[in-house]
Amino acid sequence: MSDTPRDQGRTGDGTRAVRAGLPEPVKHEPTLPGPVFAAHFHLPGEVTGPYSYGRDDNPTWTLLERAIGELEAPGRDDVETLVFASGMAAISSVLFSQLRAGDAVVLPSDGYQVLPLVRAQLEAYGVEVRTAPTGGDAQLEVLDGARLLWIESPSNPGLDVCDIRRLVAAAHAQGTLVAVDNTLATPLGQRPLELGADFSVASGTKQLTGHGDVLLGYVAGRDPEAMAAVRRWRKIVGAIPGPMEAWLAHRSIATLQLRVDRQNATALAVAESLRQRPEVSGLRYPGLPDDPSHKTASQQMRRYGCVVSFTLPTRARAERFLEALRLVEDATSFGGVRSTAERRRRWGGDAVPEGFIRMSVGAEDPEDLVADVLRALDESAE
């Protein structure tokens, strides 16, 4: 989306987030108009204009899409953004709109736990699915002849990072499209389109909206033909967000930079405190200087995210730790203002140890959260 005249001169992430997607001011009108609840619109005569039916477009979506586009690709007018009912709706829209029977797609073997279900459906449609880990740019080894490369960096829940520029260059050299799941990083942590990707896809359910009360997804892309196919898929399957959810998401984006900076700083503090604990193994946070992903992450990320992962010796120890926490809720998902953590193996879809913990760091006072984590570790010891 192109910037309006009053957008000129915006440089800071906070300024951009606070004002992203706002319409031009109109006297006596709100700065952010309320949600538009409409299944249909007045449409006399020939079909002209942007709004005709509620499954195709909505003014509340338009403002949100403009806002996300300004964060994913600031200052560019060749990027289109489409919002969806959930992150999985957004992911599915790219995969199933771009792939045909006989195509090959490369997926991360260590990505989001629903991807194996996606794989089964793609294979049922005659698409060849290849997988490789995120770390070490291993997807390059199975890229030959693929129609689409799907990157998740940092990966969820293992927090491995790949060199997106390197993978994009190799993919584009053979005509392969590249989509990057940017959920964990957010547009303030990483801009996949600037790194060369064709699509930036994310679950807005997570840190983008940040309050654990909205399901949302989006796709941002540069190629008009490819994005037209994504839009057509959204229309066909009806995977659209409600206007209230879209409005809540737009409202929440105003505090994105404040939340991200607080949560990232506290995540680093939590990770540093966990380094001192002998019962903790496999600690991962890309912001730690000695993390295996730190060097690559620092070359393409501006912020390292709010998720910390680590492993406790046994399932029982992990469960006692989670029960002992007072400021951290035992819940799935991540990115919310209230800290959460879970024993990830309970879902059965991730190849992680029984004691593996994925922790999402919220906006609590850093000192309070670190103290709670260390106390829970002490109390959970046998």
Side-chain angles (χ1 to χ4, degrees), residues 60-271:
T60 310
W61 304 353
T62 299
L63 295 180
L64 175 60
E65 289 168 346
R66 184 183 302 163
I68 295 171
E70 290 175 8
L71 298 179
E72 284 281 354
R76 296 185 58 165
D77 58 6
D78 61 343
V79 171
E80 180 179 4
T81 303
L82 297 171
V83 291
F84 290 81
S86 68
M88 281 309 304
I91 289 170
S92 299
S93 74
V94 174
L95 292 170
F96 290 100
S97 70
Q98 304 302 314
L99 296 169
R100 304 288 185 272
D103 286 343
V105 61
V106 176
L107 301 179
S109 59
D110 55 346
Y112 182 47
Q113 62 156 343
V114 181
L115 288 181
L117 298 178
V118 174
R119 174 178 186 164
Q121 193 62 59
L122 288 167
E123 290 176 336
Y125 289 157
V127 176
E128 177 192 353
V129 180
R130 308 169 190 165
T131 62
T134 300
D137 300 342
Q139 288 176 301
L140 287 173
E141 299 173 10
V142 294
L143 187 60
D144 188 43
R147 164 68 178 162
L148 176 67
L149 167 63
W150 190 273
I151 293 171
E152 188 177 298
S153 181
S155 62
N156 172 30
L159 302 183
D160 269 325
V161 170
C162 62
D163 185 336
I164 295 176
R165 292 185 184 90
R166 182 186 180 200
L167 268 67
V168 166
H172 285 176
Q174 63 174 23
T176 300
L177 295 171
V178 180
V180 176
D181 186 330
N182 203 37
T183 302
L184 200 146
T186 81
L188 298 194
Q190 180 173 267
R191 294 177 185 152
L193 300 180
E194 291 185 357
L195 298 173
D198 300 287
F199 303 99
S200 181
V201 186
S203 168
T205 308
K206 311 299 194 294
Q207 197 169 21
L208 185 81
T209 57
H211 292 80
D213 54 9
V214 171
L215 289 175
L216 192 89
Y218 70 85
V219 178
R222 299 180 297 170
D223 182 78
E225 185 177 346
M227 288 303 293
V230 173
R231 178 183 288 274
R232 185 166 57 250
W233 181 262
R234 183 179 71 173
K235 177 183 177 72
I236 291 170
V237 301
I240 58 173
M244 190 67 193
E245 286 75 10
W247 182 85
L248 285 169
H250 196 169
R251 182 202 62 172
S252 298
I253 284 174
T255 61
L256 179 61
Q257 183 262 341
L258 298 173
R259 291 185 281 108
V260 164
D261 281 354
R262 175 61 171 262
Q263 290 170 259
N264 279 223
T266 307
L268 180 59
V270 169

Side-chain angles (χ1 to χ4, degrees), residues 8-93:
Q8 302 304 315
R10 274 200 232 168
T11 55
D13 286 340
T15 302
R16 186 174 293 109
V18 165
R19 307 200 63 83
L22 296 182
E24 286 296 315
V26 177
K27 190 175 183 179
H28 306 307
E29 293 294 325
T31 54
L32 177 62
V36 176
F37 298 98
H40 58 265
F41 302 82
H42 288 296
L43 198 65
E46 296 297 321
V47 178
T48 58
Y51 307 112
S52 59
Y53 187 62
R55 191 179 66 250
D56 298 333
D57 258 315
N58 178 288
T60 310
W61 304 353
T62 299
L63 295 180
L64 175 60
E65 289 168 346
R66 184 183 302 163
I68 295 171
E70 290 175 8
L71 298 179
E72 284 281 354
R76 296 185 58 165
D77 58 6
D78 61 343
V79 171
E80 180 179 4
T81 303
L82 297 171
V83 291
F84 290 81
S86 68
M88 281 309 304
I91 289 170
S92 299
S93 74

Side-chain angles (χ1 to χ4, degrees), residues 294-376:
H294 181 73
K295 181 178 179 181
T296 301
S298 298
Q299 293 169 348
Q300 63 194 24
M301 300 182 72
R302 297 177 298 129
R303 295 172 174 88
Y304 298 107
C306 65
V307 177
V308 177
S309 68
F310 57 96
T311 300
L312 293 176
T314 64
R315 170 177 175 170
R317 177 68 189 276
E319 290 175 344
R320 291 197 304 271
F321 166 72
L322 292 169
E323 187 176 355
L325 290 165
R326 296 170 186 165
L327 298 180
V328 183
E329 300 168 0
D330 191 337
T332 194
S333 196
F334 59 84
V337 291
R338 290 175 291 278
S339 293
T340 61
E342 68 173 336
R343 193 181 66 83
R344 192 64 184 168
R345 186 66 181 271
R346 66 181 177 175
W347 296 100
D350 296 308
V352 294
E354 288 286 356
F356 181 94
I357 301 291
R358 184 186 71 179
M359 181 176 179
S360 172
V361 174
E364 297 88 357
D365 286 319
E367 299 82 1
D368 293 340
L369 191 59
V370 168
D372 189 47
V373 168
L374 297 180
R375 179 196 52 76

